[in-house]
Amino acid sequence: MTDFQQRLDKAIERGQRASDARARAEAQRALNEQELRRLHTQYRLQLADHIDQCLQQVARRLPGFQFEPVVSERGWGAAVSRDDLELAPRHRPTTRFSRFEVIIRPMTEAYVLEIVAKATVRNKELFNRTHYQRLGEADLTSFTELIDLWVLEFAERYAAKS
């Protein structure tokens, strides 16, 4: 066997090993991606349940609020809202809108768990917040505590303006 043939055989072997390594890496990445999707679904279900429970309590404790589950291309969660009609002498009737919504965003290529909260009290935006963590590092306790804080802040601010 000539020197060239030996180098050619070694080059072919290196190429095959590189191809095998690339295929293994892609298979591992697909497995990790599948695991991250499963994790996102698990977290989404747990957080959506917590959001539902919190906002249903708001609807029960603050008369006039209507609870609605949110399932859309924007995400999953829930909202409470109400319209108030103000009648004042010598003024046109005015509608005052209040709404609080918390949703979990769909998973993206960034592989993060993300929640978004929007609050409006009597036609004025109270807040529009986002919180996220990488899926592999996500701490559900911090998410549920943050949801609780946002719900409490909305309820307090609404009650103060009523």
Side-chain angles (χ1 to χ4, degrees), residues 1-143:
M1 202 179 244
T2 68
D3 182 47
F4 175 76
Q5 288 175 332
Q6 289 176 344
R7 290 187 306 172
L8 180 60
D9 288 343
K10 288 181 182 181
I12 291 171
E13 286 176 25
R14 282 193 308 270
Q16 289 172 340
R17 282 194 306 268
S19 175
D20 291 345
R22 193 171 36 254
R24 281 192 303 275
E26 286 179 24
Q28 183 64 34
R29 189 174 66 241
L31 181 62
N32 287 343
E33 188 173 318
Q34 186 178 22
E35 177 64 20
L36 289 171
R37 288 188 187 286
R38 185 197 63 73
L39 203 55
H40 187 273
T41 300
Q42 175 188 339
Y43 291 163
R44 175 180 53 86
L45 292 172
Q46 288 177 306
L47 289 175
D49 187 46
H50 183 72
I51 292 165
D52 280 0
Q53 290 173 11
C54 289
L55 294 187
Q56 284 181 12
Q57 288 182 46
V58 169
R60 283 194 296 272
R61 299 292 304 271
L62 293 173
F65 273 93
Q66 299 296 313
F67 171 84
E68 64 181 277
V70 174
V71 178
S72 69
E73 69 280 349
R74 294 178 306 128
W76 302 266
V80 290
S81 62
R82 70 178 275 164
D83 288 317
D84 294 307
L85 184 62
E86 284 186 0
L87 302 172
R90 293 183 273 218
H91 292 283
R92 285 197 266 158
T94 306
T95 301
R96 301 287 182 198
F97 177 73
S98 297
R99 180 177 173 85
F100 180 58
E101 174 182 275
V102 182
I103 61 170
I104 303 122
R105 294 274 176 118
M107 191 171 83
T108 64
E109 291 179 8
Y111 301 112
V112 296
L113 181 61
E114 179 182 17
I115 58 172
V116 176
K118 296 178 182 180
T120 302
V121 174
R122 302 179 61 77
N123 291 353
K124 294 201 180 358
E125 184 176 295
L126 179 60
F127 58 78
N128 187 350
R129 298 179 178 152
T130 300
H131 178 72
Y132 63 91
Q133 292 177 357
R134 291 186 170 274
L135 271 171
E137 304 162 0
D139 174 24
L140 280 187
T141 302
S142 70
F143 277 91

